Amino acid sequence: MLLPDFIFHHVGIATPDIKGSIRFYQELGYTSSEIYNDPEQKAAIALLRRPDGPVLELISPTDKTSPVQAWVDRIRCGAYHVCYEVNELEEGMSLLAGRGSLLVYGPVPAIAFGLRRVAFLWGKESGLVELLEKEPRLLRVNSETTEV
């Protein structure tokens, strides 16, 4: 069965030196966002873009308890996850869980993505997959609507 609502978004790359990795990818023609400090993931994050290539997300641990630290310890620098944007995060999580993937982290708001929620699932056929909700959830407070 195809998962039509799963739209490729980016490749995550773990790195111990985010500034050095930014310089490397800039030499390949990428432009970088600011470096975001994500206290939830205990990581520094930068998004890199170029017109003819995929979006890259550089993730560098800022604390030894960061989820990405073990990956950096193991491989130093390299591909970490593939991210898909989904309309409904919980539905996407359920579809992957139904195919044997296990939730390893989240859902949590992601600073680098405008507080849209993300979740990470691990599957033996897929490796680590990040799901990014397409739109932030809206919370109604009194008569006003607020993004969460």
Side-chain angles (χ1 to χ4, degrees), residues 9-10 33-39 41 45-47 49 57 83 85 108-118 130-139 146-148:
H9 192 270
H10 68 265
S33 71
E34 66 182 283
I35 297 174
Y36 301 96
N37 178 30
D38 189 331
Q41 295 188 53
I45 295 172
L47 301 174
R49 291 179 168 82
E57 177 189 27
C83 178
E85 191 174 54
V108 296
I111 289 181
F113 299 110
L115 298 180
R116 291 188 287 166
R117 294 178 309 144
V118 297
E130 177 183 19
L131 298 180
L132 169 65
E133 69 183 343
K134 189 171 188 173
E135 300 292 333
R137 292 187 320 163
L138 298 178
L139 174 66
T146 306
E147 288 184 6
V148 291

XYZ file of all heavy atoms in Angstrom, residues 9-10 33-39 41 45-47 49 57 83 85 108-118 130-139 146-148:
336
model
N 10.569 15.664 2.615
C 10.859 17.020 3.075
C 12.361 17.311 3.141
O 12.818 18.303 2.609
C 10.210 17.283 4.432
C 10.226 18.708 4.828
N 11.258 19.281 5.557
C 9.350 19.709 4.586
C 11.010 20.553 5.741
N 9.854 20.850 5.168
N 13.131 16.449 3.814
C 14.567 16.691 3.919
C 15.311 15.450 4.377
O 14.712 14.482 4.815
C 14.864 17.863 4.872
C 14.551 17.569 6.310
N 13.359 17.919 6.892
C 15.281 16.972 7.287
C 13.361 17.549 8.165
N 14.518 16.961 8.430
N 20.276 28.528 6.789
C 19.448 29.315 7.701
C 20.325 29.740 8.870
O 21.506 29.376 8.940
C 18.287 28.463 8.227
O 18.780 27.468 9.136
N 19.738 30.460 9.796
C 20.424 30.689 11.056
C 20.592 29.341 11.756
O 19.974 28.351 11.364
C 19.610 31.645 11.935
C 18.271 31.051 12.390
C 17.455 32.014 13.224
O 17.789 32.181 14.412
O 16.504 32.586 12.686
N 21.421 29.312 12.764
C 21.547 28.107 13.583
C 20.541 28.225 14.723
O 20.561 29.190 15.487
C 22.979 27.939 14.131
C 23.958 27.754 12.969
C 23.046 26.755 15.096
C 25.413 27.730 13.392
N 19.635 27.259 14.780
C 18.597 27.234 15.824
C 19.080 26.401 17.001
O 19.664 25.334 16.811
C 17.306 26.612 15.293
C 16.707 27.324 14.117
C 16.968 26.890 12.809
C 15.867 28.413 14.288
C 16.402 27.534 11.716
C 15.303 29.063 13.200
C 15.575 28.615 11.923
O 15.020 29.256 10.847
N 18.807 26.847 18.213
C 19.056 26.047 19.400
C 17.736 25.384 19.771
O 16.777 26.071 20.098
C 19.572 26.908 20.551
C 19.788 26.091 21.800
O 20.100 24.913 21.740
N 19.618 26.709 22.946
N 17.683 24.070 19.684
C 16.457 23.335 20.005
C 16.635 22.651 21.353
O 17.244 21.582 21.438
C 16.155 22.310 18.911
C 14.789 21.675 19.073
O 14.307 21.566 20.219
O 14.204 21.275 18.058
N 16.119 23.260 22.444
C 16.313 22.673 23.765
C 15.592 21.333 23.933
O 16.020 20.495 24.723
C 15.758 23.731 24.720
C 14.840 24.571 23.896
C 15.356 24.510 22.488
N 15.359 18.919 21.657
C 16.213 17.868 21.097
C 17.655 17.978 21.579
O 18.496 17.170 21.216
C 16.177 17.923 19.570
C 14.812 17.595 18.999
C 14.850 17.475 17.502
O 15.655 16.735 16.955
N 13.991 18.204 16.814
N 20.613 23.258 15.190
C 20.042 22.812 13.913
C 20.162 23.934 12.898
O 19.902 25.096 13.201
C 18.567 22.408 14.093
C 18.490 21.179 15.010
C 17.886 22.162 12.752
C 17.111 20.787 15.414
N 20.552 23.568 11.680
C 20.567 24.509 10.560
C 19.939 23.828 9.352
O 20.139 22.632 9.127
C 21.991 24.946 10.225
N 19.163 24.596 8.595
C 18.544 24.092 7.371
C 19.307 24.664 6.188
O 19.555 25.871 6.129
C 17.078 24.499 7.312
C 16.221 24.000 8.476
C 14.819 24.577 8.380
C 16.181 22.489 8.507
N 19.657 24.880 1.906
C 18.893 24.745 0.670
C 19.747 25.142 -0.520
O 20.632 25.982 -0.409
C 17.667 25.645 0.709
C 16.617 25.224 1.701
C 15.416 26.195 1.702
N 14.301 25.658 2.439
C 14.168 25.715 3.754
N 15.091 26.289 4.481
N 13.104 25.198 4.360
N 19.102 19.085 6.715
C 19.010 19.566 8.089
C 20.252 19.072 8.817
O 20.452 17.867 8.963
C 17.752 19.019 8.779
C 17.655 19.435 10.235
C 16.535 18.737 10.991
O 16.143 17.610 10.616
O 16.064 19.318 11.974
N 13.116 12.716 6.351
C 11.911 13.340 6.885
C 10.827 13.421 5.822
O 11.093 13.801 4.676
C 12.223 14.741 7.392
S 10.764 15.620 8.018
N 6.868 15.051 5.288
C 5.816 15.931 5.781
C 4.492 15.193 5.633
O 4.240 14.565 4.601
C 5.816 17.209 4.941
C 4.967 18.312 5.488
C 5.131 19.582 4.671
O 4.952 19.528 3.439
O 5.439 20.615 5.270
N 7.007 16.283 19.432
C 7.447 17.503 20.102
C 7.444 18.652 19.094
O 7.576 18.417 17.889
C 8.864 17.354 20.708
C 8.891 16.297 21.797
C 9.897 17.063 19.633
N 7.307 19.891 19.566
C 7.410 21.034 18.649
C 8.868 21.226 18.220
O 9.779 21.042 19.017
C 6.915 22.214 19.481
C 7.024 21.780 20.898
C 6.962 20.285 20.919
N 9.066 21.588 16.948
C 10.409 21.771 16.407
C 10.654 23.244 16.104
O 9.975 23.824 15.251
C 10.576 20.934 15.141
N 11.609 23.815 16.774
C 11.915 25.241 16.613
C 12.290 25.570 15.173
O 11.863 26.582 14.622
C 13.027 25.656 17.596
C 12.448 25.652 19.008
C 13.622 27.008 17.231
C 13.393 26.052 20.092
N 13.086 24.733 14.535
C 13.553 25.017 13.168
C 12.419 24.974 12.147
O 12.577 25.456 11.029
C 14.652 24.037 12.768
N 11.288 24.399 12.511
C 10.153 24.285 11.598
C 8.931 25.041 12.113
O 7.794 24.604 11.957
C 9.822 22.812 11.341
C 10.954 22.069 10.698
C 11.662 21.110 11.398
C 11.335 22.344 9.391
C 12.720 20.435 10.818
C 12.386 21.681 8.797
C 13.089 20.729 9.517
N 9.162 26.182 12.724
C 8.067 27.037 13.155
C 7.156 26.402 14.184
O 5.954 26.661 14.203
N 7.709 25.567 15.047
C 6.991 24.852 16.116
C 6.010 23.807 15.597
O 5.169 23.315 16.360
C 6.298 25.822 17.078
C 7.232 26.750 17.834
C 6.441 27.666 18.761
C 8.287 25.976 18.621
N 6.118 23.452 14.311
C 5.343 22.300 13.860
C 5.883 21.077 14.596
O 7.070 20.972 14.877
C 5.473 22.109 12.346
C 4.781 23.221 11.578
C 4.732 22.944 10.095
N 6.039 23.115 9.477
C 6.343 22.685 8.259
N 5.451 22.033 7.534
N 7.543 22.893 7.752
N 5.004 20.147 14.909
C 5.427 18.976 15.675
C 6.135 17.961 14.786
O 5.822 17.815 13.604
C 4.233 18.320 16.352
C 3.607 19.181 17.423
C 2.401 18.535 18.058
N 1.482 18.083 17.024
C 0.757 16.967 17.098
N 0.803 16.205 18.149
N -0.057 16.641 16.113
N 7.084 17.251 15.399
C 7.804 16.174 14.732
C 7.758 14.941 15.618
O 7.591 15.033 16.834
C 9.275 16.544 14.432
C 9.359 17.714 13.466
C 10.057 16.814 15.703
N 11.716 10.702 10.295
C 11.093 11.815 10.992
C 9.815 12.177 10.260
O 9.818 12.271 9.030
C 12.025 13.041 11.007
C 11.403 14.262 11.666
C 12.306 15.492 11.608
O 13.230 15.537 10.776
O 12.072 16.411 12.403
N 8.741 12.365 10.997
C 7.496 12.871 10.433
C 7.321 14.304 10.905
O 7.481 14.602 12.089
C 6.304 12.019 10.875
C 6.330 10.557 10.434
C 5.082 9.834 10.936
C 6.467 10.426 8.932
N 6.988 15.188 9.977
C 6.793 16.612 10.253
C 5.364 16.961 9.878
O 4.946 16.731 8.740
C 7.775 17.429 9.409
C 7.574 18.944 9.352
C 7.800 19.581 10.715
C 8.509 19.550 8.302
N 4.605 17.488 10.846
C 3.237 17.856 10.509
C 3.244 19.020 9.525
O 4.073 19.925 9.608
C 2.410 18.168 11.749
C 2.774 19.410 12.491
C 1.950 19.599 13.762
O 0.891 18.971 13.921
O 2.388 20.394 14.614
N 2.309 18.961 8.568
C 2.267 19.953 7.500
C 1.953 21.346 8.018
O 2.558 22.318 7.605
C 1.250 19.532 6.442
C 1.283 20.384 5.204
C 0.415 19.804 4.117
C 0.623 20.578 2.839
N -0.052 19.972 1.724
N 1.010 21.448 8.888
C 0.587 22.740 9.441
C 0.632 22.643 10.953
O 0.343 21.589 11.516
C -0.850 23.068 9.009
C -1.041 23.160 7.511
C -0.339 24.355 6.884
O -0.149 25.366 7.587
O 0.028 24.262 5.707
N 0.965 23.744 11.629
C 0.918 23.708 13.093
C -0.511 23.481 13.569
O -1.464 23.893 12.905
C 1.417 25.079 13.524
C 1.657 25.864 12.296
C 1.360 25.017 11.104
N -0.633 22.798 14.685
C -1.965 22.616 15.276
C -2.446 23.948 15.793
O -1.665 24.773 16.229
C -1.914 21.615 16.426
C -1.616 20.216 15.981
C -1.725 19.225 17.095
N -1.185 19.743 18.336
C -1.437 19.219 19.516
N -2.210 18.189 19.632
N -0.909 19.720 20.610
N -3.731 24.139 15.754
C -4.318 25.378 16.273
C -5.005 25.083 17.600
O -5.691 24.083 17.752
C -5.313 25.967 15.278
C -4.723 26.372 13.932
C -5.822 26.885 13.011
C -3.654 27.435 14.103
N -4.794 25.958 18.539
C -5.399 25.835 19.860
C -6.348 27.010 20.049
O -5.964 28.144 19.854
C -4.292 25.865 20.927
C -4.739 25.885 22.388
C -5.432 24.571 22.737
C -3.535 26.102 23.276
N -4.756 30.268 18.377
C -3.323 30.408 18.544
C -2.637 29.162 17.995
O -3.123 28.046 18.194
C -2.962 30.536 20.050
O -3.722 31.604 20.595
C -1.475 30.772 20.231
N -1.500 29.346 17.281
C -0.730 28.202 16.817
C 0.011 27.594 17.984
O 0.486 28.292 18.861
C 0.300 28.619 15.756
C -0.317 28.976 14.443
C 0.736 29.298 13.401
O 1.943 29.131 13.654
O 0.332 29.727 12.316
N 0.085 26.241 18.014
C 0.908 25.536 19.006
C 1.806 24.570 18.309
O 1.595 24.192 17.203
C 0.061 24.820 20.068
C -0.628 25.817 20.944
C -0.904 23.848 19.456
